[in-house]
Amino acid sequence: ADAERLLHRGEVVGVWPEGFKGIGKPYSERYKLQRFGRGGFVEIAMKAGVPIIPIAVVGSEEAMPIIAKINPLAKALNLPYVPITPQMLALGPLGLVAPLPAKFRLRVLDPIHFDVPADQERYSKSKVMDAADDIRQRIQDQLFDMIRTRRSVWKG
């Protein structure tokens, strides 16, 4: 509801459609995008009549790599996960706020417009999911290209 309200007012809204699955991936899964949920971000954009502008980001998954998770503690604290990072091994809990140095690169992709009327009560779930999968694949392709062409984690 907040995103719809902001978009109708002409504001820009950022979403991370991987959600906690994206930021909670182990280091071995870095830059392999997870499923984009149920496509709610696409449906909101359709309803507001605005395009989605995908952005691929490289660097973030080296800045705070997860090497393990403490699932029993996460369950006890009602959290999606409790990570163990190399920084935490060296600095203890302070490691949660001490990212490793990494060069971040962002690539803004072409806007994706939807040819559906705005403000409909409902949108085709298959059309929403197809659009979400297409956006995920576009970003994934760019991530692979960016990783393939970068010189190093620290220099970009």
Side-chain angles (χ1 to χ4, degrees), residues 4-94:
E4 286 181 40
R5 181 178 44 77
L6 290 167
L7 289 170
H8 279 294
R9 286 193 344 210
E11 302 289 338
V12 174
V13 174
V15 298
W16 287 259
E18 281 185 292
F20 282 109
K21 295 176 298 202
I23 60 172
K25 292 183 290 198
Y27 190 70
S28 62
E29 294 293 314
R30 67 190 176 282
Y31 301 116
K32 294 176 186 171
L33 293 178
Q34 304 298 300
R35 188 173 157 270
F36 280 7
R38 288 176 243 122
F41 71 106
V42 171
E43 194 164 1
I44 290 168
M46 287 177 169
K47 191 167 190 169
V50 299
I52 289 177
I53 303 171
I55 300 174
V57 179
V58 168
S60 60
E61 300 199 28
E62 285 91 8
M64 192 66 77
I66 295 174
I67 56 174
K69 295 181 190 176
I70 306 174
N71 292 329
L73 181 58
K75 188 173 183 174
L77 297 173
N78 198 27
L79 296 170
Y81 63 92
V82 173
I84 298 295
T85 67
Q87 303 92 301
M88 290 174 67
L89 295 177
L91 304 171
L94 185 60

Side-chain angles (χ1 to χ4, degrees), residues 96-117:
L96 282 173
V97 294
L100 294 172
K103 178 80 167 193
F104 280 56
R105 296 260 183 204
L106 285 77
R107 186 175 289 172
V108 179
L109 284 58
D110 291 334
I112 298 167
H113 299 270
F114 304 102
D115 68 357
V116 296

Side-chain angles (χ1 to χ4, degrees), residues 120-136:
Q120 285 186 332
E121 186 65 31
R122 296 188 149 198
Y123 292 91
S124 162
K125 198 61 180 166
S126 65
K127 193 168 194 163
V128 167
M129 290 306 297
D130 287 347
D133 288 342
D134 176 61
I135 292 166
R136 189 191 66 74

